[in-house]
Amino acid sequence: MSSVQEVNPRVRGIRDPVNLQSLAAQISQQIAQGEQKAFTKVIDLSSCDPHRTGLPPISFVRQVLSLCCYPELLKEDSFPLDVKQKTQKLLEACNGGSIGSYSSSTVGLPPIQRSVAEFLTRRDGGINSNPEDIIFSSGSQKTLAMMIRLLSREDGQTETGVLAPLPCPHTLPMLLDEVGVKLVPYRLTEERGWAVDLEELHRALMTARRQCDPRAIYISNPGNPTGHVQDRETIEKMIHFAASERLVLLVEEVYQDSVFGQDKEFLSYKKVLFEMGVSYSETVEMVSFHSISTATMGECGLRGGYMELINLDPAVKKILFQYPSSASILPQLAIEIMVNPPAPGDASYEKYTQEILVRAQTLSQNAGRACKLLNALPGMSCQPAMGGVFLYPRLHLPAEIIEEAKMLRLSADVLYCRRLLEEEGICLGPGCENGHNDENFHIRLCVLAPPAVLEDVLTHLCSFHRRLLNGSD
Amino acid sequence: MSVLQEISSDVRNMKQMENFVLFRRTNEIKEELRRGVRKSYREVIDVSWGDPHRAGVKPLSFVRQVLAACLYSELMDGDKLMVDVKQRAQRLLGTCAGGSVGSYCATAGIPQTLQSVSQYIMRRDGGVPCHPENIYISPGSQWALTNILKVLVNSEASPRTGVLIPVPCHSTTIISLTTLGAVAVPYYLREERGWALEMEELQRALDSAKGVCNPVALYMINPGNPAGYVQSRKSIQEVIRFAAEKKLFLLADEVFQDCVYGKESEFVSYKRALAEIGAPLSDSVELASFHTASKGLMGECGLRTGYVELVNLDPAVMKHINNLFSTNSCPILGQIALDVMVNPPQPGDPSYPLYLKETQHIRASLAQNVRRVEEVINSFPDFSCQPLEGGAFAFPRLFLPPKAIERAKEAGLQPDTFYCLRLLEEAGVLFSPGTEYGQKEGTYHIRFCIMTPSDTMEEILRRLSAFHEQFMKEFS
């Protein structure tokens, strides 16, 4: 091979990541080597990584996983009874009683599939979920890539398209590049808290059809990074739209446990679908995604997720089941704990419930506090979040900054974030990663952190922002 | 009418795994046994995978203790765990963001882990330099291999991209190639000579590609899977020179490098052999070598962690590889296991005695199993096994009588699949058929994992012998 020209064009087409994380790592390295800076460490709130910021994992989860790794510890008295019982149950589900074995099938451990199916049935008020429709993978992004790969035509004639919200999760554009499908954005309405606009959806689809073959629509609910939580009416409209335009619904619902807006509640797309009657519930094709990278669990580094297939053709399912990807065992066990937590009466119930509650309160309070502070800044406006873990404020930047960015051949939001990192040691995400690549500049901030850490970040951010605006006066 | 009906044709063409019919029947039989249906066996012994823990081999204590401590650090209070376990866990947690295995890490992996792996590689290769920037940790070696293939294979090119692969070959690789739209160009290993790789055969394979596809890479497995050979230094260097001459990218699947037991055998890495050839080849031949935490004595398949080391790649190409790898995140726990694998307990460490005992036991069982498998299989006139030198499998050849082949055809099955299905039904032992891996036309093989406890292997051989005699008599 030896030259770039010979690299697969599909791989060459993966956009370069903005990669502030790399700069952040460099800066951390410089600090470790004794270089003097205005700050003592870098704080990264550009993605949802609660443990990184100092929020602890859920005790019950870690106790069980740890025992599953080294079952000799079952002999110890220091573990509560329910931890031991759960461990034993999970190990029985593993081949050879060890987390080191492969799953017997590519989709995952059957007992865990059953647990997830039972959870979904409970969650959706009795709507039946079939264990065989649950497929595990190393995180929801991976399962999403799997699905989209299935959709993409490779006859070299028309490019496949996927409708995706603008803004979308920052990991989505590169994922679609890698699979080789076109991202067709449908703009969410910022002024209405990032709500979906059906007319805009239609417009996007019309445009898409001129350029590619749109086959699916991607939805993030609660929204990443918008924090918007869709109401029943919206969900019904989306389903109706997808059904009439023959688009597969790809619904990312990883923040389903993080809804804090007044009078807001999480409604799963599946539940709404089934309540729309059989003409929809038996025909509309949908895949919903979840993972252990939630606000509560925050187990991003464990890499675990699943997807539920709804109304997919059995022939298609058969192919999915043969995909050579064996999901890792420990994350599957973590998923089982997530969907089957301690119940009232169990030894760990109180502590577990307390930890979950504290996490939820932290998130809600942080979101409120951050939004208030950011809105008080000149040149920044932020829609309040109703759920999820991010805030996504808009930057109203002075012309000088935008010019400077152009000269440096950077997007102004990237320049903003870079300078924020270099001057204050705070790493946030530029909105261009979320799809905003016109003059509509945004930044992305994960508010899931210990309150003191967030306060620190907000203080530095506000001071930087004011300085920047004043500097260009 | 389903929207998904018109799915990607490449995905459709994915080779239907022969094993499917066997897996399905295995699950059914397990269910029947559970319900109390009488059979001549009480449980199914599944050695169709390279999965020692499934077969009953115990995990190594040290790595599990470290993992447990990393997951739940309160375990380090008190005396539940040895000092060196705690020290290792603390050091490794210190390399994780926020001190938690639940955080994300950088694209290629945790920097300190990459450092550890590169030092291991240098030690292994007698000092040949290894740079951490050339290593990418991945969720499993196959995942890394698929990514490198993605870089090499242009599914829309005409002629299509070709990759030379050995016959027999690891089935997952074949599936990856097909899914990516590449053409597999087989080169046959010479069974009668211990699965030797003959240069004339490589040339023949390359010639066969003319007008069919554009071969860009040569994939080799050493030690072998499914066949249990270990390539000699001389053979490796021949392959390297061939690849250099024909401008082929070398893909060296070396996941069984820690599983070498043949008395005359020694594992030499492709990288080392390349370095020993010297310039200009050592500075120009492009090589990707793959390793994993799933094989070897640790056998932690369920953790899904491996790595790829890239040698002599153009920096501009590396940039694209970096972008590709950054679309997915690396599991942290696997990296912890990887660190333990490349830096096991040393003499003097408190955990060393137990570690030594456990690894010696696994090695001894393996040596015993190898001896017994060769003995038993070769005692049958219609069953033969090449000397087992490395890897985790036996891949003996079956000389099936024509009647059995007929019967298989009637049942719509490949003859070796038919044999495996009958073996499963009647003896409760699950092997995988040679068809799965490719074999010379008209020959039949079966593959089974030999990394099992010794008494399990004895039981397998007992059931196999009884079945085999019966089967051969039935179809004589």
Side-chain angles (χ1 to χ4, degrees):
Chain A
M1 184 178 67
S2 75
S3 88
V4 181
Q5 296 320 309
E6 293 162 71
V7 169
N8 181 359
R10 170 87 63 79
V11 172
R12 262 186 284 147
I14 297 177
R15 65 197 70 199
D16 287 338
V18 172
N19 220 351
L20 285 164
Q21 282 69 28
S22 192
L23 180 57
Q26 261 175 49
I27 294 176
S28 295
Q29 179 80 312
Q30 289 164 352
I31 295 176
Q33 287 167 346
E35 244 183 76
Q36 285 284 16
K37 295 212 183 275
F39 47 90
T40 47
K41 66 179 186 139
V42 172
I43 304 180
D44 185 346
L45 292 183
S46 65
S47 59
C48 177
D49 197 353
H51 299 182
R52 175 186 295 260
T53 65
L55 286 176
I58 302 296
S59 306
F60 183 78
V61 172
R62 291 303 188 86
Q63 285 170 329
V64 173
L65 290 179
S66 142
L67 277 188
C68 285
C69 270
Y70 190 54
E72 297 294 306
L73 293 169
L74 283 166
K75 302 187 196 112
E76 295 288 325
D77 292 323
S78 44
F79 287 100
L81 185 62
D82 56 349
V83 167
K84 295 189 186 183
Q85 285 171 336
K86 175 73 96 171
T87 300
Q88 270 152 347
K89 180 164 159 255
L90 291 177
L91 285 176
E92 268 162 42
C94 299
N95 284 304
S98 164
I99 57 147
S101 260
Y102 289 115
S103 299
S104 47
S105 74
T106 53
V107 299
L109 295 167
I112 317 284
Q113 284 174 300
R114 280 196 291 276
S115 284
V116 172
E118 282 160 21
F119 156 74
L120 291 169
T121 308
R122 281 193 311 269
R123 182 196 70 182
D124 293 337
I127 294 166
N128 194 46
S129 183
N130 186 346
E132 295 184 6
D133 290 333
I134 311 289
I135 299 183
F136 293 103
S137 169
S138 56
S140 62
Q141 293 292 304
K142 189 101 193 285
T143 45
L144 176 64
M146 237 193 254
M147 266 319 298
I148 298 181
R149 237 204 142 275
L150 268 190
L151 296 170
S152 62
R153 300 168 80 103
E154 283 172 50
D155 54 11
Q157 285 175 11
T158 350
E159 208 184 349
T160 303
V162 173
L163 269 72
L166 176 66
C168 67
H170 62 280
T171 46
L172 190 64
M174 280 183 85
L175 189 153
L176 294 181
D177 280 348
E178 198 214 323
V179 180
V181 303
K182 191 171 171 63
L183 192 164
V184 180
Y186 58 92
R187 294 172 167 275
L188 301 175
T189 313
E190 183 159 14
E191 312 82 71
R192 291 196 297 119
W194 300 107
V196 179
D197 174 354
L198 219 55
E199 267 181 46
E200 163 60 13
L201 214 45
H202 279 281
R203 181 213 61 77
L205 187 60
M206 289 307 126
T207 313
R209 289 206 164 116
R210 287 197 286 273
Q211 308 166 343
C212 64
D213 176 25
R215 318 212 49 215
I217 175 166
Y218 176 92
I219 290 146
S220 170
N221 183 48
N224 168 0
T226 62
H228 179 83
V229 175
Q230 292 181 1
D231 57 20
R232 180 180 291 270
E233 197 192 329
T234 305
I235 299 177
E236 284 176 352
K237 288 199 172 121
M238 297 292 273
I239 292 174
H240 178 79
F241 173 77
S244 46
E245 304 293 348
R246 291 177 30 86
L247 299 167
V248 177
L249 284 154
L250 303 170
V251 191
E252 163 79 73
E253 293 175 324
V254 70
Y255 297 123
Q256 56 189 267
D257 294 326
S258 297
V259 174
F260 43 81
Q262 194 95 340
D263 302 323
K264 296 286 172 197
E265 73 172 317
F266 168 74
L267 284 169
S268 78
Y269 261 68
K270 182 172 175 217
K271 180 162 200 266
V272 174
L273 174 68
F274 275 69
E275 290 169 355
M276 281 167 78
V278 293
S279 65
Y280 285 95
S281 63
E282 285 177 5
T283 58
V284 175
E285 289 173 299
M286 184 189 299
V287 182
S288 66
F289 303 89
H290 197 17
S291 84
I292 53 177
S293 304
T294 61
T296 323
M297 300 260 296
E299 299 289 2
C300 317
L302 285 187
R303 321 299 311 126
Y306 69 79
M307 59 179 171
E308 185 185 14
L309 313 174
I310 300 152
N311 292 329
L312 291 197
D313 191 311
V316 170
K317 289 204 275 195
K318 191 156 164 223
I319 292 180
L320 272 174
F321 297 156
Q322 290 182 65
Y323 244 91
S325 84
S326 192
S328 194
I329 300 298
L330 264 174
Q332 290 182 56
L333 304 186
I335 290 172
E336 208 282 342
I337 302 169
M338 180 175 79
V339 303
N340 240 335
D346 290 348
S348 306
Y349 179 69
E350 259 185 61
K351 185 161 185 215
Y352 176 84
T353 316
Q354 182 65 2
E355 288 175 352
I356 302 279
L357 189 62
V358 167
R359 184 61 51 88
Q361 282 171 344
T362 303
L363 178 58
S364 166
Q365 281 160 8
N366 284 3
R369 170 110 183 103
C371 193
K372 189 162 161 218
L373 267 179
L374 296 178
N375 272 320
L377 285 172
M380 197 179 294
S381 62
C382 189
Q383 291 294 310
M386 312 169 206
V389 301
F390 291 102
L391 282 184
Y392 193 67
R394 175 145 182 211
L395 299 172
H396 305 273
L397 295 170
E400 292 83 5
I401 306 293
I402 301 178
E403 275 315 304
E404 185 187 339
K406 281 201 178 115
M407 289 213 310
L408 293 169
R409 299 221 278 201
L410 287 175
S411 179
D413 48 358
V414 175
L415 179 61
Y416 185 98
C417 288
R418 214 162 77 169
R419 285 181 58 174
L420 177 62
L421 177 55
E422 287 165 346
E423 294 172 29
E424 307 283 343
I426 309 286
C427 186
L428 299 183
C432 59
E433 289 182 324
N434 300 84
H436 268 121
N437 46 23
D438 49 15
E439 303 246 312
N440 201 341
F441 303 113
H442 289 77
I443 50 170
R444 173 182 81 246
L445 158 71
C446 176
V447 295
L448 187 59
V453 171
L454 183 67
E455 206 53 40
D456 195 15
V457 169
L458 291 171
T459 308
H460 285 279
L461 175 59
C462 290
S463 127
F464 166 82
H465 186 86
R466 287 185 200 280
R467 208 166 55 237
L468 191 76
L469 260 48
N470 290 341
S472 45
D473 281 343
Chain B
M1 227 262 286
S2 167
V3 169
L4 282 172
Q5 293 282 29
E6 306 166 64
I7 55 183
S8 163
S9 59
D10 277 338
V11 176
R12 259 198 204 288
N13 287 337
M14 239 166 49
K15 185 177 183 296
Q16 172 80 284
M17 281 171 85
E18 280 289 308
N19 276 348
F20 222 57
V21 64
L22 284 161
F23 281 158
R24 199 175 46 220
R25 188 68 196 122
T26 306
N27 287 334
E28 285 166 13
I29 291 178
K30 281 185 177 164
E31 188 52 42
E32 287 167 22
L33 286 168
R34 220 187 334 260
R35 283 190 282 118
V37 173
R38 294 278 308 264
K39 293 191 189 291
S40 65
Y41 48 86
R42 268 194 298 225
E43 77 293 318
V44 173
I45 305 180
D46 182 354
V47 276
S48 63
W49 295 65
D51 191 345
H53 295 184
R54 178 196 296 242
V57 175
K58 298 260 167 294
L60 296 178
S61 301
F62 185 76
V63 67
R64 290 307 187 83
Q65 289 164 344
V66 171
L67 286 170
C70 286
L71 278 163
Y72 188 58
S73 45
E74 277 86 323
L75 276 179
M76 296 195 264
D77 304 333
D79 299 316
K80 296 189 261 300
L81 300 170
M82 302 249 202
V83 168
D84 54 350
V85 171
K86 296 188 204 184
Q87 284 171 341
R88 183 73 68 106
Q90 266 151 1
R91 175 168 71 73
L92 292 172
L93 280 176
T95 68
C96 301
S100 165
V101 296
S103 300
Y104 287 116
C105 70
T107 295
I110 299 171
Q112 291 87 341
T113 311
L114 290 167
Q115 199 54 253
S116 288
V117 170
S118 84
Q119 281 160 1
Y120 157 80
I121 293 174
M122 271 197 285
R123 285 194 305 270
R124 178 199 70 185
D125 293 340
V128 175
C130 176
H131 303 285
E133 313 89 69
N134 291 334
I135 302 175
Y136 281 85
I137 298 176
S138 59
S141 62
Q142 279 297 311
W143 191 89
L145 175 61
T146 305
N147 264 7
I148 301 302
L149 285 172
K150 267 190 200 152
V151 174
L152 295 169
V153 175
N154 181 352
S155 56
E156 274 148 50
S158 181
R160 289 166 63 200
T161 312
V163 177
L164 274 77
I165 60 164
V167 176
C169 178
H170 188 183
S171 48
T172 317
T173 305
I174 301 173
I175 294 175
S176 297
L177 276 177
T178 324
T179 318
L180 289 172
V183 177
V185 181
Y187 59 90
Y188 291 78
L189 302 177
R190 183 73 88 90
E191 180 163 13
E192 312 82 70
R193 290 183 49 218
W195 301 103
L197 204 175
E198 295 172 334
M199 298 314 295
E200 311 86 66
E201 171 55 21
L202 262 188
Q203 183 63 56
R204 180 212 62 76
L206 197 60
D207 292 338
S208 77
K210 282 203 179 71
V212 177
C213 66
N214 171 33
V216 303
L218 194 161
Y219 171 77
M220 180 54 182
I221 310 172
N222 180 47
N225 173 8
Y229 57 82
V230 172
Q231 231 185 335
S232 68
R233 182 186 251 100
K234 176 159 169 286
S235 172
I236 294 175
Q237 289 182 332
E238 279 179 339
V239 173
I240 292 174
R241 288 184 208 281
F242 181 84
E245 193 197 329
K246 312 290 179 182
K247 301 212 185 328
L248 296 168
F249 189 107
L250 273 169
L251 300 162
D253 188 333
E254 298 175 322
V255 302
F256 288 108
Q257 55 188 268
D258 296 323
C259 258
V260 173
Y261 34 77
K263 292 188 183 53
E264 317 286 313
S265 312
E266 177 200 7
F267 171 74
V268 176
S269 73
Y270 265 72
K271 179 160 177 237
R272 183 174 189 167
L274 175 62
E276 289 172 357
I277 288 178
L281 260 56
S282 57
D283 298 326
S284 57
V285 173
E286 290 169 311
L287 166 67
S289 69
F290 303 88
H291 195 16
T292 178
S294 302
K295 307 298 170 195
L297 301 178
M298 222 166 58
E300 296 287 358
C301 312
L303 286 182
R304 318 296 295 123
T305 295
Y307 70 76
V308 57
E309 183 189 6
L310 299 162
V311 179
N312 290 332
L313 266 67
D314 185 321
V317 173
M318 285 297 276
K319 184 180 89 101
H320 288 296
I321 290 180
N322 196 69
N323 285 358
L324 181 59
F325 273 80
S326 67
T327 62
N328 219 312
S329 222
C330 237
I332 304 296
L333 282 179
Q335 295 184 64
I336 301 211
L338 202 55
D339 187 284
V340 171
M341 184 182 90
V342 302
N343 274 324
Q346 295 298 307
D349 293 346
S351 300
Y352 183 71
L354 180 60
Y355 174 79
L356 183 65
K357 180 159 166 252
E358 290 174 342
T359 48
Q360 276 179 339
H361 177 77
I362 296 175
R363 281 194 216 280
S365 302
L366 191 51
Q368 161 94 332
N369 291 354
V370 165
R371 198 176 51 78
R372 286 292 293 145
V373 166
E374 286 179 349
E375 210 169 66
V376 170
I377 303 262
N378 287 324
S379 72
F380 287 100
D382 38 27
F383 220 165
S384 84
C385 190
Q386 289 300 304
L388 298 172
E389 303 175 332
F393 303 99
F395 192 62
R397 182 166 169 193
L398 274 170
F399 294 84
L400 291 172
K403 278 199 190 145
I405 298 174
E406 258 316 299
R407 181 71 66 84
K409 289 208 168 93
E410 283 164 25
L413 294 169
Q414 291 296 322
D416 38 26
T417 309
F418 175 66
Y419 181 94
C420 288
L421 203 51
R422 288 286 295 266
L423 176 65
L424 171 65
E425 285 291 352
E426 291 166 30
V429 173
L430 181 60
F431 287 179
S432 55
T435 311
E436 188 69 31
Y437 311 97
Q439 52 201 348
K440 205 164 99 179
E441 186 77 36
T443 66
Y444 308 106
H445 298 80
I446 46 171
R447 184 194 87 161
F448 58 99
C449 177
I450 53 173
M451 274 192 84
T452 71
S454 299
D455 41 15
T456 307
M457 186 51 67
E458 277 311 312
E459 177 60 17
I460 291 170
L461 292 172
R462 188 189 66 75
R463 295 192 199 180
L464 174 64
S465 300
F467 165 80
H468 185 79
E469 262 199 66
Q470 184 76 324
F471 182 91
M472 288 305 184
K473 212 187 300 181
E474 183 186 335
F475 290 102
S476 62

